[in-house]
Amino acid sequence: MNGKKWILVVALFAAGVTAGCNTMHGAGEDIERGGEKVQENAR
């Protein structure tokens, strides 16, 4: 993955995490889902 795509993925992930979770538990779930998506894209 080139640099621009990586920055876009990270920025979208960060925006989703900050906008979509109100608790630390919710943040953990969001981070886990983001990690799963990164793993899926790496395959």
Side-chain angles (χ1 to χ4, degrees), residues 26-38:
E29 290 176 354
D30 291 342
I31 291 168
E32 182 179 3
R33 276 185 289 221
E36 290 170 355
K37 294 297 181 185
V38 169

Side-chain angles (χ1 to χ4, degrees), residues 6-38:
W6 179 247
I7 291 171
L8 178 62
V9 168
V10 171
L12 290 173
F13 174 73
V17 168
T18 57
C21 63
N22 293 322
T23 65
M24 289 305 292
H25 179 62
E29 290 176 354
D30 291 342
I31 291 168
E32 182 179 3
R33 276 185 289 221
E36 290 170 355
K37 294 297 181 185
V38 169

